[in-house]
Amino acid sequence: MIPFFNKKKKNNKESHIHIESVPKHIAIIMDGNGRWAKQRKMPRIKGHYEGMQTVKTITRHASDIGIKYLTLYAFSTENWSRPKDEVNYLMKLPGDFLTTFLPELIEKNVKVETIGFIDQLPEHTRKAVLEAIEKTKDNTGLTLVFALNYGGRKEIVSAVQLIAKRYKDNELELSEITEDSFAEYLFTKEMPDPELLIRTSGEERLSNFLIWQSSYSEFVFVDTLWPDFGTAELDKCIETYHSRHRRFGGL
């Protein structure tokens, strides 16, 4: 049997992953930016800035090793309760990120998508995101999905409301509502469920992220704070996924 991982350089710049063995879809809860900054006696926004640099690093690596979908939990429906200055900075980040990184994403054939209630975002945030989606819509490599103003429960409630309306309007029979048809009303209807879900910072919960889609995902929780999460650590998470036997409720 060919080993899944060979030795890697200590600088994390080289990875020997067999592309045919990587998960098709990885989702990440990028946690720990604030704690990273606090440990260094810096403002929380500095942690978010460094976290954005990690997004660039992990996106490049995911593209290079053949992952098809990378979904990043960037801003939840609950994050609006954070201090106003922090929220304002977080709403600037998509524009800053895409301004500096979009040319490289285009060069690497990366397609940008979003899930969440985008219409509720500030205009400048929404404009930056929609521009990136438009400019990369024909790319065929990695699909980089940002969960912005996203909440799993709200997503499910929204799907139920749409189904109820169609039923009320006699456009849908009860017998037509199945797990497969229900999934067609979710933000993720055009992508596969994540095989691997990673959360950084040592916390071990979903925090309202992809709660329908992650029913059979493999969870990997790591202690590393998101700004310190590197390519070697992503490789280790994939190795953990690769070592598990996925039974999907069977034997």
Side-chain angles (χ1 to χ4, degrees), residues 23 44 57 69 79 101 105 109 113 118 130 135 158 164 167 202 207 219-221 235 241:
R44 287 176 59 87
T57 299
Y69 296 88
N79 286 158
F101 200 40
L105 292 175
N109 196 29
E113 290 286 357
I118 307 302
L130 292 177
K135 288 185 176 180
S158 177
Y167 176 73
S207 294
F219 296 166
V220 176
F221 302 106
D235 288 352
Y241 162 83

Side-chain angles (χ1 to χ4, degrees), residues 88-131:
N88 289 341
Y89 183 79
L90 289 169
M91 288 297 103
K92 284 181 56 182
L93 272 182
D96 294 344
F97 173 86
L98 293 167
T99 296
T100 59
F101 200 40
L102 187 57
E104 184 176 344
L105 292 175
I106 293 172
E107 182 181 347
K108 292 183 75 68
N109 196 29
V110 173
K111 181 178 182 179
V112 176
E113 290 286 357
T114 61
I115 58 174
F117 299 90
I118 307 302
D119 58 326
Q120 297 171 11
L121 294 174
E123 183 178 356
H124 63 89
T125 308
R126 189 169 63 251
K127 181 180 179 181
V129 170
L130 292 177
E131 181 179 353

Side-chain angles (χ1 to χ4, degrees), residues 212-240:
W212 173 279
Q213 298 87 342
S214 63
S215 295
Y216 285 102
S217 301
E218 295 296 327
F219 296 166
V220 176
F221 302 106
V222 297
D223 292 333
T224 307
L225 302 176
W226 176 248
D228 292 328
F229 189 83
T231 60
E233 196 131 28
L234 178 60
D235 288 352
K236 290 178 183 178
C237 292
I238 295 173
E239 184 178 32
T240 299

